[in-house]
Amino acid sequence: MLMRVTTPQHLDEWFRAAVTALEPDDPPAPGGSRSAEDPVCAGSALTGAVARQLFDAQVTSRHLDLAARWLRGFDEGFYTIGSSGHEGNAAVAAALRPDDPALLHYRSGAFYCARAANRAPDDSALLDAARDVLRGVVASAAEPLAGGRHKIFGRADLHIIPTTSTIASHLPRAVGLAYALSAAQPGVTPPWPADAIAVASFGDASVNHASATAALNTLGWYAHTGRQLPLLLVCEDNGYGISVASPPGWVAETLRARPGLRYLAADGCDPVSAYDTARAAVEWVREQRRPAVLHLRTVRLMGHAGADAEVAYRNRAEIADDLARDPLTGTARRLVAGGFATGAALLARYDELGWQVRKIAEEVLGEPKLATTAEVVAPLAPRRPLRTARHIADTATRARGAGSAARLRAFGGKLPENGGPLTLARTINATLTDALLTHPEALVYGEDVAAKGGVYGVTKNLLDRFGPDQVFDTLLDETSILGLGLGTALAGHLPIPEIQYLAYLHNAEDQLRGEAATMAFFSQGAFRNPMVVRVAGLAYQEGFGGHFHNDNSVAVLRDVPGMVLAVPARPADAAPMLRSCLAAAAVDGTVSVFLEPIALYHARDLFQPGDGEWLAPYAPPEEWQTAHVPIGRARTYPVGAAGDLTIATFGNGVRMALRVAARLADEGFGSRVVDLRWLSPLPVADLLREASATGRILIADETRRSGGVGEGILAALVDGGFVGSARRIAAADSLVPLGPAAQHVLIGEDAITQGAHALLAR
């Protein structure tokens, strides 16, 4: 029979007819029976008992798909991408240990059900998992992990880490997780056993995605350098990316060609092939502590999602062929052929679990949804400023207490607080040294970070001070650098990756937006990936330029919900701001981007050559608590009488604005220069207070006019009821050119002065 399209009804009818027709290969003798511990066929490790467990998980997953379509039929279900045809991934779950951390493809429903079922000898754990999934489908606030914010496969007690729907974006994180599992580090206690392996599943079309390419390349790179990562990748290959077919043989050829990655293939529609090959893959990764990929050939039943009419791009014969390979039928066939069950008994079990799943679907319909904006956004930024301040105080106590001798050694016998005022670069270096010393779980890494000490010397000597376990160089790939942080953070590390230039970050933005910032949103804090991403950026470098080294675009960073964006301008602020970011990461799992103005790294003077007024002394540990800079608080510099004009700025603008303010003071005008310091969250209360104090505010924004920070400042002033005069100067909507031409698109002191005079004339 040729199907035009596989509907839920067709799929159910096909399964019933196929199972009814099954017959055992070798009926047992009268009075005889097969032991549940016997293999389902000669030479296989799959026993009848395990096959029955797989069948239950597969059937539950199938009925979850059918229930999701049923719920969608009357607008009560909001997610219909199902796992039908992929249920062979239950065999992968059975081959793993329940404490192996997993990041699952959105069609890995049977894996989820199989792992959950192991928690109880009856159906209770399996049905609890079904309730979890259906709560996600109906966006119930009672869903235990995401709380109704998204339908995900994830649970902390099952060691299943939630992933987004972004194609392959979780694979760089999986590499980072395997990196953390590859070697123990003093001071870090991962939530998994020492011989655990990581597993990540993905679809066949995903092998073409940049995130997958980055992850596969990084695995090979580390294998080539001698560091092996215990990661099992599972490619669930149904042959399609929505409507685009994968060219025959392409996925296998692509995966086989990857250096440092062992390739194994199995028929995901046959439980014997899937289970035996998965066991071999798992055993090899666990024993060798090296990566492998299991290419699991599956089918896709009922289309990509509920609204997908696959008859528009697939012919009837192909749809029928896929239906004939239904993995549920494949498992039933093995059970009946081996004499472990009859077709009638399996259909009865199918109906029993189907009734239970439908009953749960009806029950979750009445559960409450997220009802307010506050409820929705609650997990995004759980700011606990008092605990953050306390963490800084505790860190200072460790630094000046038992760790004082170690601190002296780390700084080579010369403590930075005794060495005179420091530049921005040296201040950040000293702060990183203290961070690595007081946080043994911290990692500082990136391109040119270790041996070279950073392009600008910011990480100089850190490798010598702390060794390659805490300070190391990486391959040249920003996606992998961030993914490494995302994975190691899950294992208890505090990653401090460096992105060499702001422009390079744009290659990897989804690792922040789609992965880092969403983890708390999807798990309500059950999983965290604390991280402080150091980025060298902004413009005004002298003698070295071009838009890739003078990028002034931060719009994408301000647009990521819950993520902190810090911009230290002065050495006096850099150390306490970096400590605040590190403390927020440790306390709340906060993800911060610490944007360091390159042009100010080695600045020493403010008004006149040789005045040294841009330098600042480094605070000793006993002063860290009093020097604490809370996230989202600005610093104001009164100049003159400070009553005529407010200049709001950040980064390079602070230095320029202070010079302009000094000249205005000579003209008799008093100014308040407000260094925002934090671009997300903006220090709105401080802005409103300082703007209202003078009734005039000039916004000196070194980012672009369109999408720049100044737009957010103006909006905050309007929303806050500011009724005075406001003016904005900003960089042109242009990339930054090389050489003197950059002056034509960036703001300068002359433009700030003109803007100030225009406001003062009102």
Side-chain angles (χ1 to χ4, degrees):
M1 179 177 62
L2 296 182
M3 293 289 185
R4 291 192 62 197
V5 62
T6 311
T7 66
Q9 181 180 351
H10 288 151
L11 190 56
D12 179 74
E13 291 173 351
W14 173 274
F15 176 76
R16 292 179 184 279
V19 173
T20 298
L22 294 176
E23 295 290 344
D25 289 346
D26 185 16
S33 63
R34 298 294 302 274
S35 166
E37 301 308 316
D38 289 340
V40 297
C41 65
S44 174
L46 180 64
T47 65
V50 173
R52 285 300 298 260
Q53 293 168 0
L54 295 184
F55 182 77
D56 284 355
Q58 292 174 324
V59 166
T60 302
S61 178
R62 175 66 56 83
H63 280 299
L64 287 171
D65 288 353
L66 300 179
R69 301 293 180 105
W70 174 70
L71 289 163
R72 185 72 191 116
F74 51 93
D75 296 329
E76 290 290 348
F78 307 103
Y79 195 95
T80 56
I81 297 178
S83 302
S84 295
H86 283 241
E87 290 94 349
N89 54 45
V92 180
L96 290 159
R97 289 201 318 233
D99 54 4
D100 288 325
L103 298 104
L104 298 183
H105 180 44
Y106 51 65
R107 297 195 193 278
S108 297
F111 182 113
Y112 183 79
C113 292
R115 178 165 284 193
N118 285 329
R119 296 181 61 82
D122 57 13
D123 291 341
S124 60
L126 182 61
L127 296 176
D128 283 345
R131 189 177 298 274
D132 292 346
V133 173
L134 288 173
R135 280 173 163 165
V137 168
V138 302
S140 166
E143 195 278 327
L145 196 67
R149 292 168 184 83
H150 203 278
K151 185 265 182 186
I152 48 91
F153 292 129
R155 247 175 60 184
D157 61 339
L158 297 181
H159 302 284
I160 297 177
I161 300 154
T163 65
T164 71
S165 293
T166 309
I167 297 301
S169 66
H170 62 298
L171 297 186
R173 181 198 292 274
V175 174
L177 180 55
Y179 184 95
L181 295 174
S182 66
Q185 180 173 323
V188 180
T189 305
W192 304 290
D195 64 342
I197 70 172
V199 61
S201 56
F202 59 100
D204 55 293
S206 298
V207 300
N208 306 298
H209 197 277
S211 297
T213 300
L216 294 169
N217 182 71
T218 303
L219 284 172
W221 188 86
Y222 273 115
H224 190 75
T225 64
R227 180 151 191 166
Q228 302 295 347
L229 308 185
L231 173 62
L232 174 62
L233 296 172
V234 181
C235 179
E236 300 183 16
D237 182 0
N238 63 36
Y240 276 88
I242 304 183
S243 66
V244 180
S246 295
W250 168 247
V251 175
E253 184 177 344
T254 298
L255 295 175
R256 279 198 185 101
R258 290 292 175 180
L261 187 67
R262 185 179 183 188
Y263 174 85
L264 302 93
D267 181 358
C269 298
D270 175 18
V272 170
S273 175
Y275 181 73
D276 287 345
T277 310
R279 273 175 55 97
V282 168
E283 289 173 2
W284 190 84
V285 174
R286 197 179 308 281
E287 291 173 2
Q288 300 295 321
R289 312 304 288 168
R290 296 169 65 185
V293 59
L294 171 59
H295 185 188
L296 199 64
R297 295 182 178 89
T298 66
V299 294
R300 190 187 71 187
L301 306 177
M302 296 195 295
H304 174 72
D308 179 31
E310 59 181 348
V311 70
Y313 53 87
R314 302 183 73 188
N315 62 54
R316 297 183 182 185
E318 185 181 357
I319 294 172
D321 287 345
D322 276 3
L323 195 56
R325 294 188 62 223
D326 178 8
L328 262 68
T329 305
T331 303
R333 184 178 295 114
R334 288 291 188 179
L335 286 167
V336 173
F340 295 96
T342 64
L346 294 178
L347 282 177
R349 183 61 171 161
Y350 175 83
D351 286 335
E352 178 188 3
L353 289 172
W355 175 82
Q356 293 281 8
V357 169
R358 177 61 67 90
K359 180 172 177 287
I360 292 170
E362 294 172 354
E363 292 171 353
V364 300
L365 275 174
E367 293 183 347
K369 309 289 193 290
L370 294 168
T372 66
T373 302
E375 289 179 5
V376 173
V377 304
L380 280 173
R383 303 269 183 263
R384 292 183 287 184
L386 294 180
R387 291 194 185 186
T388 299
R390 181 72 258 171
H391 181 88
I392 292 172
D394 292 343
T395 301
T397 299
R398 293 198 300 273
R400 67 174 183 263
S404 59
R407 186 168 183 263
L408 187 63
R409 287 194 301 272
F411 282 105
K414 299 177 181 179
L415 295 177
E417 56 265 34
N418 298 332
L422 305 180
T423 61
L424 180 66
R426 290 188 61 198
T427 298
I428 295 172
N429 178 275
T431 311
L432 290 172
T433 300
D434 273 323
L436 288 163
L437 184 67
T438 56
H439 295 82
E441 74 277 16
L443 304 173
V444 172
Y445 65 94
E447 301 163 19
D448 302 304
V449 163
K452 182 178 176 64
V455 172
Y456 297 95
V458 178
T459 55
K460 185 178 180 181
N461 297 324
L462 295 186
L463 174 61
D464 294 336
R465 293 167 179 170
F466 297 97
D469 287 341
Q470 277 191 280
V471 182
F472 52 91
D473 289 320
T474 66
L475 74 173
L476 197 155
D477 178 54
E478 286 72 28
T479 295
S480 296
I481 289 171
L482 294 177
L484 197 66
L486 294 173
T488 54
L490 290 171
H493 291 273
L494 178 52
I496 312 173
E498 177 185 303
I499 301 297
Q500 198 167 83
Y501 289 100
L502 175 59
Y504 299 174
L505 178 65
H506 303 309
N507 301 324
E509 287 162 358
D510 187 55
Q511 290 297 297
L512 292 178
R513 178 196 173 277
E515 290 291 322
T518 60
M519 181 55 72
F521 191 70
F522 286 152
S523 72
Q524 301 183 97
F527 292 98
R528 310 188 325 164
N529 41 220
M531 187 161 59
V532 180
V533 185
R534 294 182 46 251
V535 182
L538 302 177
Y540 301 98
Q541 290 191 79
E542 295 181 3
F544 183 66
H547 71 280
F548 268 104
H549 303 99
N550 283 274
D551 189 18
N552 62 341
S553 175
V554 301
V556 69
L557 297 174
R558 294 192 63 245
D559 189 49
V560 179
M563 193 169 74
V564 170
L565 176 56
V567 183
R570 307 197 71 170
D573 286 328
M577 288 176 68
L578 183 51
R579 280 193 287 269
S580 290
C581 291
L582 293 168
V587 170
D588 292 322
T590 300
V591 177
S592 298
V593 172
F594 198 74
L595 182 58
E596 301 164 6
I598 299 172
L600 298 178
Y601 268 150
H602 305 297
R604 305 177 66 86
D605 307 321
L606 176 55
F607 300 113
Q608 301 293 333
D611 66 18
E613 291 198 32
W614 199 254
L615 305 174
Y618 187 78
E622 53 266 26
E623 296 178 11
W624 290 357
Q625 188 172 9
T626 56
H628 171 52
V629 175
I631 291 174
R633 294 302 307 272
R635 178 195 285 267
T636 299
Y637 298 93
V639 182
D644 299 309
L645 175 68
T646 300
I647 305 176
T649 188
F650 60 94
N652 294 287
V654 176
R655 196 164 178 237
M656 292 186 285
L658 286 170
R659 289 171 170 171
V660 170
R663 291 195 290 270
L664 290 175
D666 291 340
E667 299 173 15
F669 298 109
S671 305
R672 297 166 179 254
V673 176
V674 180
D675 179 1
L676 299 173
R677 300 194 291 195
W678 309 92
L679 302 188
S680 184
L682 279 172
V684 175
D686 294 336
L687 264 173
L688 287 169
R689 183 189 65 248
E690 298 301 329
S692 299
T694 64
R696 302 184 185 94
I697 182 166
L698 175 66
I699 301 165
D701 178 10
E702 66 177 288
T703 62
R704 299 170 192 161
R705 176 165 292 275
S706 297
V709 177
E711 290 182 349
I713 297 172
L714 284 172
L717 291 169
V718 172
D719 291 346
F722 176 66
V723 294
S725 300
R727 187 178 181 90
R728 172 173 63 124
I729 60 168
D733 289 337
S734 169
L735 300 175
V736 179
L738 191 65
Q743 299 172 15
H744 300 303
V745 298
L746 299 173
I747 67 170
E749 292 179 32
D750 288 345
I752 297 174
T753 301
Q754 291 170 12
H757 283 148
L759 273 177
L760 290 168
R762 293 184 181 180

